[in-house]
Amino acid sequence: MRLALSIGLALLTAGCATTNPQGSFEAASQPVSERSGLATAWPRSPADSELALAHSRALLAQPLTPESAAQVALLRNPGLFARLEELGISQADYAQATRISNPSLELSARRPNEGGLATNVEAGLIQDLLDPLLLPLRKRFAAAELEMVKLSMGQAMLDLVAETKMAFAEHQAAARRVERLGVIVEIEEAAVAFAERQRQAGNLPQLELEEQQALLAETRAEKVHAELEARAAQEGLQRLLGLAGADLGWTAAQMLPEPPADELATQDLEALALEGRLDVAAARAAVGLVEKALSLRRANRFFPGGVRVGISREREPDRLRVTGPVLELELPIFDTGAASIARLEAEHRRAERQLEELTILVRSEVRELADRYVASRDLARFYRDTVLPGRVRILDETLRHYNAMLKGVYDLLMVKRLEIEAEKAAIEAWRDAWVARYALERALGGRFPAAAPAAGPAPEPHHDHHEHHDHHAPGGHR
């Protein structure tokens, strides 16, 4: 009997799962690495933290690109690490679900009220009989819950990658906008200085001087607002990167070209999103999770308190010992389990409706973002290929007219200002195109369809001043 009991307990404990969540993290991060090409990390010890910190600082020592910035975020974002602890919690719950409950030892000692009699002693060892029988169901339920958490954590990492790339594009565009506004301020300062000399010589009305001064003041105010927006964009990016202190002295690499001219079939993108998005997979897993919880509850509906069996030994005051089995069970008289089953059935229907809603949302989001991406990408190309070259030609012709004394200095400065304004608009179109692409990439599950190489360079600022103009390629360095 004792041998059989020992073997049974050994078999029950042999299937106990580990509490170490490292395997679950590797499973959750595998699709992230496959789709983004980036390494993931979950530092759970000082040594792991030091390793991740050293890796991130090596990346920060070089000019950051969208990909390297996303890599730093995966290595350092504390909010992500806090969320990843859900894996540890779910792994512990799964490990707990693979273990049977401990037996109960009951002891009591009652002294008789008459002398000469021995103390009444009673001891019992009781175990829930249903607990090992329900162990397979409970284990499957906990495994489904752990799988859902893995998918959710994978989606969280992919979301962080996309958010970091979008924030990086916002930061680059904001910094470039400040730079171009600085050039406009220089142009208008030269215009005001020239107007003041003309006014002193009596060749310019006071009204025209004040108009030039007002235009300069407005541009300076616009530059202040742009600087605030640029600092806010930089801080938003640094929060995603998890940076503070000495690690704030990083630089950004050169702006990327416009996104490639992808041929996007909306129906194919919808199918790709529904197949690849981890939050959709997590929603499907949630439906299965509630189904398993419902099966588990139905299995022990009439024994909500379990069926407890054991052995009891009692020594009577006359020193007579009695030993026998014990059976304890809760009678389902008032609570038959109908309410808890109805609750789970409602939760199951809710999970199904939430999955249906998410499917509709994903399809709509993909269509909307695909339209936005194509439109913003084409607009960026339009600025590069049409608007900016047109402004360059106008400036060249105005310069020739100025040299022939057919145009005045204010005409030349105004045309130069309009060219730089067009560059600002081109930079904003570039930003919108990349932000839309990264958003669409996230909507597709972190993977973008294969595309052709980009066709041309990003809009770059030129460094010539108002007093001369260098010929250059549209959108290139000037």
Side-chain angles (χ1 to χ4, degrees):
M1 179 67 179
R2 292 180 180 177
L3 179 60
L5 181 60
S6 300
I7 294 175
L9 290 175
L11 290 175
L12 286 172
T13 56
C16 294
T18 178
T19 57
N20 187 353
Q22 183 60 34
S24 296
F25 171 70
E26 292 173 357
S29 60
Q30 181 179 354
V32 179
S33 299
E34 291 174 350
R35 300 176 190 188
S36 67
L38 303 175
T40 58
W42 183 18
R44 300 171 57 235
S45 68
D48 292 341
S49 298
E50 288 296 327
L51 187 63
L53 187 63
H55 188 185
S56 67
R57 284 177 173 168
L59 294 172
L60 291 168
Q62 304 295 325
L64 286 182
T65 65
E67 286 71 24
S68 63
Q71 181 64 82
V72 172
L74 288 175
L75 293 172
R76 297 188 58 156
N77 186 279
L80 175 64
F81 297 153
R83 287 205 61 185
L84 287 175
E85 291 300 331
E86 295 179 27
L87 276 174
I89 296 171
S90 187
Q91 181 71 39
D93 290 341
Y94 175 67
Q96 184 64 45
T98 63
R99 291 160 167 78
I100 63 173
S101 61
N102 294 321
S104 299
L105 177 62
E106 297 181 355
L107 295 173
S108 65
R110 297 184 291 272
R111 179 173 298 178
N113 59 357
E114 295 183 7
L117 297 177
T119 301
N120 178 276
V121 177
E122 182 176 357
L125 185 66
I126 299 177
Q127 174 67 43
D128 188 348
L129 181 63
L130 282 184
D131 190 70
L133 298 178
L134 294 174
L135 182 64
L137 277 176
R138 204 167 59 243
K139 185 176 179 180
R140 287 198 295 271
F141 173 76
E145 185 176 26
L146 178 58
E147 186 64 26
M148 186 179 68
V149 174
K150 290 178 189 177
L151 293 168
S152 298
M153 294 304 101
Q155 186 64 49
M157 286 185 274
L158 288 174
D159 287 345
L160 178 61
V161 168
E163 289 169 7
T164 302
K165 289 181 177 180
M166 288 189 284
F168 191 84
E170 295 276 1
H171 161 69
Q172 283 190 308
R176 185 61 52 81
R177 184 168 179 265
V178 171
E179 183 180 340
R180 303 319 290 154
L181 281 169
V183 176
I184 296 177
V185 168
E186 291 180 4
I187 292 172
E188 292 179 356
E189 286 176 343
V192 168
F194 184 73
E196 288 174 345
R197 289 196 297 271
Q198 283 190 311
R199 176 59 182 164
Q200 291 173 0
N203 298 326
L204 186 73
Q206 179 67 26
L207 177 60
E208 292 189 20
L209 172 61
E210 291 184 0
E211 287 176 349
Q212 291 293 332
Q213 291 173 337
L215 187 60
L216 172 61
E218 291 171 359
T219 305
R220 283 174 173 170
E222 184 182 0
K223 184 172 181 287
V224 170
H225 286 294
E227 289 170 343
L228 290 174
E229 292 174 0
R231 287 197 292 270
Q234 183 179 18
E235 289 299 332
L237 176 59
Q238 290 177 160
R239 286 194 294 269
L240 290 172
L241 299 181
L243 302 184
D247 293 325
L248 297 178
W250 55 275
T251 59
Q254 184 180 9
M255 293 172 69
L256 294 172
E258 287 90 355
D262 308 299
E263 295 296 331
L264 303 177
T266 303
Q267 292 182 347
D268 295 341
L269 293 181
E270 291 180 25
L272 181 63
L274 292 176
E275 178 185 357
R277 280 186 55 153
L278 300 182
D279 56 346
V280 175
R284 293 193 187 105
V287 175
L289 179 65
V290 179
E291 288 177 351
K292 289 178 174 58
L294 187 57
S295 299
L296 181 62
R297 186 65 188 92
R298 284 171 174 165
N300 69 339
R301 172 177 180 175
F302 295 107
F303 302 99
V307 178
R308 298 171 61 80
V309 296
I311 186 170
S312 175
R313 167 172 286 192
E314 182 177 359
R315 188 183 70 178
E316 301 290 348
D318 57 2
R319 301 185 183 279
L320 177 67
R321 300 178 186 273
V322 292
T323 303
V326 175
L327 173 65
E328 292 182 4
L329 57 88
E330 180 181 317
L331 298 178
I333 297 175
F334 304 108
D335 182 6
T336 61
S340 57
I341 290 177
R343 175 185 175 87
L344 286 173
E345 289 174 342
E347 289 183 359
H348 183 251
R349 291 191 298 271
R350 179 176 64 177
E352 290 180 326
R353 295 295 177 263
Q354 287 174 338
L355 175 59
E356 181 181 359
E357 179 189 28
L358 181 59
T359 300
I360 295 173
L361 177 64
V362 166
R363 289 181 178 275
S364 176
E365 184 181 23
V366 167
R367 292 193 299 268
E368 178 185 352
L369 290 175
D371 290 342
R372 182 187 303 173
Y373 168 57
V374 171
S376 57
R377 180 200 62 196
D378 292 347
L379 180 61
R381 291 178 178 275
F382 178 73
Y383 269 101
R384 186 197 68 194
D385 298 335
T386 303
V387 176
L388 290 180
R391 281 294 169 192
V392 169
R393 289 193 299 270
I394 292 172
L395 183 57
D396 287 341
E397 288 298 319
T398 304
L399 183 59
R400 291 190 184 96
H401 283 68
Y402 174 77
N403 292 334
M405 303 185 69
L406 300 176
K407 291 283 187 179
V409 67
Y410 296 118
D411 296 322
L412 179 61
L413 294 176
M414 180 55 67
V415 170
K416 182 64 176 176
R417 186 185 197 281
L418 292 176
E419 187 213 14
I420 297 176
E421 288 284 358
E423 288 182 24
K424 282 172 45 190
I427 291 167
E428 292 170 359
W430 172 92
R431 173 201 63 198
D432 294 342
W434 275 110
V435 169
R437 181 182 175 89
Y438 294 141
L440 179 58
E441 183 179 286
R442 176 169 63 176
L444 294 175
R447 177 186 299 155
F448 207 88
E460 289 290 341
H462 57 74
H463 303 289
D464 58 322
H465 296 284
H466 54 274
E467 63 269 11
H468 71 278
H469 177 74
D470 297 332
H471 293 278
H472 52 77
H477 285 285
R478 299 177 178 133

